[in-house]
Amino acid sequence: MTHDHIIDLVARQMTEAEPPADLRARVIAALPPTRRPRWIRMTIPAGAIAALAIIALMSGTVWLERSNGPAVQGSKGPDAATTTRVVAPAVAEASAGATTGPLDRWTVGPLDRVDVPLPSRVAPLEEVVPLSIEPIQPIGVSIAPITVTPLVTEPLVVPALDARSGGRE
Amino acid sequence: MSPVAFSVADILTLPPDAGTESGLVIDRESVEVRGLLDRAKAGDQAAFGRLVDLHQRVVYRTALAALGRREDAEDAAQEAFVQAWRNLEGFRGDAAFRTWLLTIVWRKALDRRRSRLLWWKRAALTPDDRDPLDDVAGASPTPEREAVARDLARRVRAEISKLSPTLRDTLVLAASGEYTYDEIAAMLRTPLGTIKWRVSEARRIVASRMDG
């Protein structure tokens, strides 16, 4: 008999024992009374996941509506300068009797650079004829007629620029 | 061979293949087990009780290998069977039911061992523990040889208990003769080659300490 045989023998005897006679009865007594069918156990987590998905979808919809709302009202839309440039031609066309359609585009082409020497005296603005614009599409949204009163301005005198300072004062 | 080994060989008259018997190894799932599994999955507790009958011995011994105390092994075995019942529908048959069950009981036993620090208490025998070395000593023909055999076997057991948990668990499971190496690998979630190395290493360490 070798060392290995002795070691194996002793090691085996460390686990050589019979289970208690009542082990089966103890196990059966400890089993849950009834086991739910698989489809019921699957339905509960599936329902929870579906409910969470619906809540997330509704929350996302509300969030999108809130985030898109201010943009329509102008806070996230084109800046004031762009709006002025777009509206101004439309107003000009309206004042000239042109047919105005719905304003569905905000894009404006690049402006040409014009090098014109600044006059030292600016003439007063011409008298503006009162302007009336028909309500703009879409149908159902009405805009009250806009009346612009004529402006009366005084002549503006601008002092000549000093060439030695390079215009930076 | 060392002088100690010679003396043991003179004293103990044991069959040379005593450590390699494997009477309960089940290579394939039997027809009976498959039928019982189907019924148990449908909620038949009597069928599951029959499965308990068929496997309680190996389950109990597995828990005992990890815990060392019978009371704890009984509780661990019971918990393992109950958990197996709860998870029965998750058993897909990729492995044998017996292997699946052994994996559960081994995890349960390790949980208990960690939580109660039984690993450290096991080194000392309590008065109500039956000394397995009685069987070894009983094979000796004379009182003098019996005393020597007892002493030698006690030393071997002490050295086995001093092994690291990893080596000791593997050695005890392999030496028990209840499991194939594949089953031990599945229980311990360790590659088969590592299991074989651990058994060899555990034997080598114990033998060297006995010689020393």
Side-chain angles (χ1 to χ4, degrees), chain B residues 60-152:
Chain B
Y60 174 72
R61 289 188 171 189
T62 302
L64 189 60
L67 296 167
R69 290 174 57 90
R70 300 184 179 207
E71 297 80 5
D72 294 303
E74 291 174 11
D75 291 341
Q78 177 181 332
E79 291 175 5
F81 278 120
V82 172
Q83 183 171 336
W85 165 261
R86 289 192 175 123
N87 299 341
L88 202 54
E89 290 188 0
F91 173 66
R92 297 173 299 178
D94 297 338
F97 174 71
R98 172 189 152 102
T99 305
W100 182 70
L101 197 57
L102 291 177
T103 305
I104 293 175
V105 69
W106 186 253
R107 284 203 300 262
K108 285 286 181 187
L110 288 189
D111 288 344
R112 291 182 73 87
R113 191 165 83 183
R114 291 191 194 101
S115 63
R116 299 189 180 185
L117 298 177
L118 288 173
W119 175 250
W120 305 108
K121 297 178 183 177
R122 187 176 48 196
L125 287 174
T126 53
D128 60 328
D129 276 333
R130 162 186 165 273
D131 190 346
L133 305 182
D134 290 344
D135 298 338
V136 179
S140 299
T142 66
E144 183 180 346
R145 289 185 171 186
E146 178 180 333
V148 174
R150 273 180 174 275
D151 179 66
L152 176 66

Side-chain angles (χ1 to χ4, degrees), chain B residues 50-71:
Chain B
R50 177 62 183 151
L51 286 172
V52 173
D53 285 340
L54 291 175
H55 297 91
Q56 62 178 347
R57 182 166 175 263
V58 68
V59 166
Y60 174 72
R61 289 188 171 189
T62 302
L64 189 60
L67 296 167
R69 290 174 57 90
R70 300 184 179 207
E71 297 80 5

Side-chain angles (χ1 to χ4, degrees), chain A residues 116-129:
Chain A
V116 178
L118 292 174
S120 59
R121 179 183 177 90
V122 178
L125 293 177
E126 296 178 0
E127 183 178 350
V128 178
V129 179

Side-chain angles (χ1 to χ4, degrees), chain A residues 7-8 10-15, chain B residues 61-62 64-66 106 122 160-161 163 166-179 184 199 202:
Chain A
I7 293 168
D8 285 348
V10 174
R12 184 171 64 171
Q13 288 173 340
M14 293 172 76
T15 62
Chain B
R61 289 188 171 189
T62 302
L64 189 60
W106 186 253
R122 187 176 48 196
I160 291 174
S161 297
L163 290 171
T166 303
L167 291 180
R168 183 202 165 278
D169 289 343
T170 312
L171 174 64
V172 171
L173 290 173
S176 70
E178 298 279 350
Y179 324 94
I184 297 173
V199 173

Side-chain angles (χ1 to χ4, degrees), chain A residues 1-24 26-28 30-38 41, chain B residues 1-2 8-9 14 16 18 40-41 43 45 49 53 56-57 60-61 64-65 74-75 78 81-82 85 88-89 132 136 168 172 175-176 203 206-207 211:
Chain A
M1 180 172 288
T2 64
H3 267 151
D4 285 352
H5 288 136
I6 298 293
I7 293 168
D8 285 348
L9 174 65
V10 174
R12 184 171 64 171
Q13 288 173 340
M14 293 172 76
T15 62
E16 238 175 20
E18 293 302 318
D22 63 341
L23 181 58
R24 172 184 174 163
R26 287 168 55 181
V27 170
I28 297 298
L31 294 182
T34 57
R35 196 169 53 197
R36 293 175 178 170
R38 189 182 185 90
R41 284 183 287 153
Chain B
M1 191 174 288
S2 68
V8 171
L14 295 171
K41 283 182 179 181
Q45 290 191 353
D53 285 340
Q56 62 178 347
R57 182 166 175 263
Y60 174 72
R61 289 188 171 189
L64 189 60
E74 291 174 11
D75 291 341
Q78 177 181 332
F81 278 120
V82 172
W85 165 261
L88 202 54
E89 290 188 0
V136 179
R168 183 202 165 278
V172 171
S176 70
R203 285 172 177 159
V206 172
D211 289 338

Side-chain angles (χ1 to χ4, degrees), chain A residues 7-8 11 20 22 53-54 58 68 70 73 79 84 90 93 96-97 110 112 114 119 125 135 150-151 156 158 160:
Chain A
I7 293 168
D8 285 348
D22 63 341
I54 292 173
M58 294 176 66
N68 287 338
Q73 294 171 3
D79 57 16
T84 302
E93 290 178 7
D112 293 334
V114 179
L125 293 177
L151 293 175
L156 181 62
V158 179

